[in-house]
Amino acid sequence: DIVMTQTPLSLSVIPGQPASISCTSSQSLLYGDGKTYLCWFLQKAGQPPQLLIYEVSKRFSGVPDRFSGTGSGTDFTLRISRVEAEDVGVYYCMQGLLLPHTFGGGTKVEIK
Amino acid sequence: EVRLVGSGGDLVQPGGSLRVSCAASGFTFSGFWMHWVRQAPGKGLAWISSINTDGSTTNYADSVKGRFTISRDNAKNTLSLQMNSLRAEDTAVYYCARGGRTFDYWGQGTQVTVSS
């Protein structure tokens, strides 16, 4: 199975400041179709996960442009340019390359 | 509007069975792979099963293989998960999710508790 490792485990951010979360996979997520199947989710308290970013850097419909994803191969980063109060929750990366699809352990983001 | 509405969660005894379902609307259900993902109390997300568009291909995590069965009824726009031989460690919120390699929409989850 592909192991997904997220850092840090938690993050406390001042509103308006940037935040960054890293995700590393145990093998390359580049598929034969040229796409890299890494996505990011945000799970707010008491809610299901919501898709933020797919294929490393594509923002899902309705996701604010303060969220961006970068990376390639095995190393990926989610950046929030200016954290807002509504961004609190747990962020997960997930690989969609191979079954079983696997998730990172999560990064809890809170407002300082 | 895409909607996925989970149902069927309950309290069940160890060794018991339960069927959870997910009703889909707002999109062409038969055109999408579907998945079940679960989240144990205070823990992260774990993929457990997937099914292709016509139901001919299914996949399972090792933790549920042989005990759980995923199925779909494209005429009724419904995804199901039959869970047998339930264990305490199966206690979780069960989410259905749409998509192939990206899970773009999720249901609100249904709680399954396995306890005597």
Side-chain angles (χ1 to χ4, degrees):
Chain A
D1 296 0
I2 298 176
V3 177
M4 305 297 290
T5 304
Q6 272 182 249
T7 55
L9 288 179
S10 64
L11 210 48
S12 184
V13 188
I14 296 171
Q17 292 300 300
S20 181
I21 300 169
S22 295
C23 177
T24 300
S25 58
S26 60
Q27 67 182 76
S28 174
L29 302 184
L30 177 63
Y31 189 50
D33 60 4
K35 298 178 181 178
T36 300
Y37 289 100
L38 183 283
C39 53
W40 290 95
F41 301 93
L42 165 60
Q43 187 175 31
K44 298 181 180 180
Q47 296 185 19
Q50 57 189 82
L51 179 65
L52 297 175
I53 301 286
Y54 65 100
E55 293 171 20
V56 179
S57 60
K58 298 177 181 177
R59 264 189 307 275
F60 187 54
S61 175
V63 175
D65 61 8
R66 64 180 181 274
F67 291 93
S68 64
T70 60
S72 63
T74 61
D75 293 293
F76 308 95
T77 301
L78 175 72
R79 289 188 175 88
I80 311 172
S81 59
R82 296 172 305 279
V83 173
E84 298 188 4
E86 65 183 25
D87 301 335
V88 299
V90 181
Y91 290 77
Y92 295 95
C93 59
M94 186 200 86
Q95 64 82 14
L97 178 68
L98 296 175
L99 289 171
H101 295 319
T102 45
F103 294 85
T107 297
K108 185 174 184 178
V109 172
E110 61 178 20
I111 296 296
K112 195 176 285 185
Chain B
E1 179 195 4
V2 173
R3 287 197 75 201
L4 296 170
V5 180
S7 63
D10 205 347
L11 170 64
V12 61
Q13 291 190 339
S17 298
L18 191 66
R19 187 179 186 89
V20 293
S21 297
C22 175
S25 61
F27 66 101
T28 303
F29 181 68
S30 60
F32 290 85
W33 279 64
M34 296 295 295
H35 305 263
W36 288 101
V37 176
R38 70 183 180 184
Q39 187 169 36
K43 301 297 184 182
L45 301 168
W47 171 88
I48 56 169
S49 186
S50 67
I51 188 167
N52 71 339
T53 55
D54 65 4
S56 61
T57 299
T58 58
N59 304 96
Y60 300 93
D62 288 346
S63 58
V64 305
K65 200 173 294 182
R67 300 188 299 123
F68 290 12
T69 302
I70 189 172
S71 62
R72 65 191 297 160
D73 184 334
N74 285 343
K76 295 183 178 179
N77 293 339
T78 301
L79 175 73
S80 297
L81 185 69
Q82 176 67 41
M83 301 182 289
N84 299 329
S85 303
L86 282 161
R87 307 165 180 166
E89 54 265 36
D90 296 318
T91 294
V93 175
Y94 285 73
Y95 296 103
C96 58
R98 185 186 87 161
R101 301 182 184 278
T102 295
F103 301 169
D104 56 1
Y105 289 95
W106 296 60
Q108 89 284 8
T110 188
Q111 174 70 50
V112 174
T113 302
V114 184
S115 175
S116 55

